[in-house]
Amino acid sequence: MLFVATRSQLTDDFYVKTCPNLFNIVRREVRNAIKFEMRMAASLLRLHFHDCFVNGCDASLLLDGNDGEKFAAPNLNSARGYEVVDSIKNAVESACSGIVSCADILAIAARDSVLLSGGPSWKVLLGRRDGLVSNQTGANISLPSPFEPLEAITAKFVAVGLNTTDVVALSGAHTIGLSRCAFFSNRLSNFSGTGAPDSTLDSTLISELRAACPVNSDGNNTVPLDRNSRDLFDNHYFSNLLNGRGILLSDQTLFSSDAAVSTTRSLVQLYSNNSALFFSDFVNSMIRMGNISPVTGSNGQIRKNCRVVNPSPLSLLPCVTDSEQLGRHPELLSSRGLGDRLTDNSGVTR
């Protein structure tokens, strides 16, 4: 399924009258979360990414339920920060109830996470509404995997309307955050049945990663994706790739794979030497990604709670029995009312 990035339906001043303090509220909550745990910046950025690649940017990732995207393989025990989104939503609802979508909150929080980590800022286009369905199957199929080759990753970007530049620029988000050992330990020994570690991995880094990820561990230990600049959003990630120090196979493949020679390698080299170019392309790619198939207009809804779809208006009506109706409206028993509507044993009303 091809999703289309559509900018024209969204605007940067969508809430200027209906929730004028929105940006300050989100920034405050994100800042507090990052002060408590620096890793949260990467986690919030990743939520936006994983949401947009499935059904478009509609906050479907946030919906609870065992059959939802939260429990898809790429997100289970991996995607995090839901409680922070809850806090942001609660603060926003206190200021302007029923106005701001969870999808827009994810987009703003992602921008603020980058900015507060030392990265660039940009005007977030807004006006998304929240989707009604969470698509676990779509998440399992559509989200790029750290184990996939470059060709497969690029194909998943193309499927949502993005391109090769977006692949490299958005991968640069791995300049912050951590990875579980389970996502790269296969590179440390007998890689692809070779009996040896991944040959594209720096030998000194192999020793460091083996110490952090013992063979008998459960794979849940974590290491920084950018070991020399773990909490600063910069272009050091790309320098790592030039030196064989990309933690994930999906990162190192941007420079070291055969497919990279004619596609992504030159961009990795450019970004490693020019942080301004990386920041500029990253901003453009975030805007493009943030506008994948937005739910707008009268479609979808504005969730009150990001974890659940709002109840149907009909489900909120009180249940009134026939006897209660008759007690309130005795005229229904008149010769013109319900008394004249009799039902025989066949179930036919006459």
Side-chain angles (χ1 to χ4, degrees):
M1 179 181 295
L2 177 64
F3 291 91
V4 180
T6 307
R7 178 180 302 195
S8 59
Q9 299 179 54
L10 307 180
T11 65
D12 60 13
D13 61 352
F14 190 82
Y15 299 108
V16 68
K17 293 182 179 179
T18 56
C19 195
N21 204 34
L22 171 62
F23 291 117
N24 290 332
I25 295 170
V26 177
R27 179 74 55 83
R28 181 191 68 221
E29 296 298 322
V30 173
R31 180 182 286 111
N32 289 341
I34 294 174
K35 282 183 178 179
F36 182 77
E37 181 190 22
M38 284 297 297
R39 179 188 180 188
M40 189 53 65
S43 299
L44 293 173
L45 177 56
R46 188 163 179 256
L47 283 182
H48 184 43
F49 179 97
H50 278 221
D51 177 51
C52 290
F53 265 65
V54 185
N55 291 359
C57 306
D58 66 346
S60 55
L61 171 59
L62 303 180
L63 290 171
D64 284 340
N66 293 339
D67 59 346
E69 293 166 35
K70 285 183 178 180
F71 288 87
N75 295 323
L76 185 62
N77 298 321
S78 178
R80 59 195 300 276
Y82 301 115
E83 295 79 8
V84 174
V85 176
D86 291 339
S87 296
I88 299 172
K89 178 63 171 174
N90 290 337
V92 171
E93 284 293 307
S94 294
C96 32
S97 179
I99 299 296
V100 182
S101 69
C102 300
D104 277 346
I105 285 174
L106 282 180
I108 300 170
R111 187 273 309 275
D112 287 354
S113 294
V114 171
L115 176 63
L116 293 172
S117 298
S121 184
W122 61 93
K123 290 185 176 181
V124 180
L125 301 180
L126 303 168
R128 303 168 190 82
R129 289 169 65 85
D130 298 321
L132 305 178
V133 178
S134 191
N135 185 357
Q136 185 174 121
T137 300
N140 283 324
I141 294 173
S142 301
L143 288 171
S145 162
F147 306 106
E148 288 180 322
L150 179 57
E151 299 91 334
I153 293 171
T154 301
K156 291 182 175 181
F157 274 69
V158 171
V160 294
L162 302 180
N163 58 36
T164 301
T165 298
D166 298 318
V167 172
V168 183
L170 292 176
S171 294
H174 286 173
T175 183
I176 56 175
L178 308 176
S179 173
R180 291 168 55 221
C181 293
F183 291 131
F184 60 82
S185 58
N186 65 310
R187 303 181 69 200
L188 304 183
S189 61
N190 195 29
F191 178 66
S192 298
T194 61
D198 184 350
S199 61
T200 67
L201 194 58
D202 176 69
S203 58
T204 58
L205 181 60
I206 292 174
S207 299
E208 296 173 19
L209 295 179
R210 282 176 172 171
C213 307
V215 174
N216 60 351
S217 67
D218 60 7
N220 288 323
N221 291 357
T222 58
V223 302
L225 285 164
D226 184 349
R227 293 178 67 78
N228 298 107
S229 178
R230 59 180 288 171
D231 296 320
L232 179 64
F233 196 100
D234 57 17
N235 66 334
H236 191 266
Y237 160 87
F238 297 103
S239 299
N240 287 338
L241 302 188
L242 266 59
N243 295 301
R245 296 182 68 83
I247 302 298
L248 303 178
L249 176 64
S250 56
D251 289 333
Q252 193 60 51
T253 194
L254 297 174
F255 181 78
S256 299
S257 66
D258 291 340
V261 174
S262 60
T263 56
T264 57
R265 179 179 292 179
S266 60
L267 271 176
V268 171
Q269 292 170 321
L270 283 172
Y271 292 160
S272 70
N273 291 316
N274 190 334
S275 62
L277 177 62
F278 164 50
F279 279 12
S280 176
D281 283 358
F282 180 81
V283 164
N284 289 333
S285 293
M286 284 295 293
I287 293 172
R288 284 164 53 80
M289 184 189 76
N291 287 279
I292 296 172
S293 298
V295 179
T296 59
S298 60
N299 296 318
Q301 62 181 207
I302 304 299
R303 285 184 220 143
K304 298 288 289 183
N305 178 344
C306 291
R307 294 175 179 265
V308 295
V309 172
N310 296 342
S312 166
L314 291 178
S315 69
L316 300 177
L317 294 176
C319 180
V320 181
T321 65
D322 289 342
S323 60
E324 288 175 320
Q325 284 279 27
L326 293 175
R328 296 174 187 173
H329 304 284
E331 69 275 8
L332 293 176
L333 288 175
S334 67
S335 60
R336 290 291 187 179
L338 288 179
D340 289 333
R341 294 177 60 81
L342 303 177
T343 304
D344 62 23
N345 291 336
S346 69
V348 177
T349 300
R350 52 181 176 82

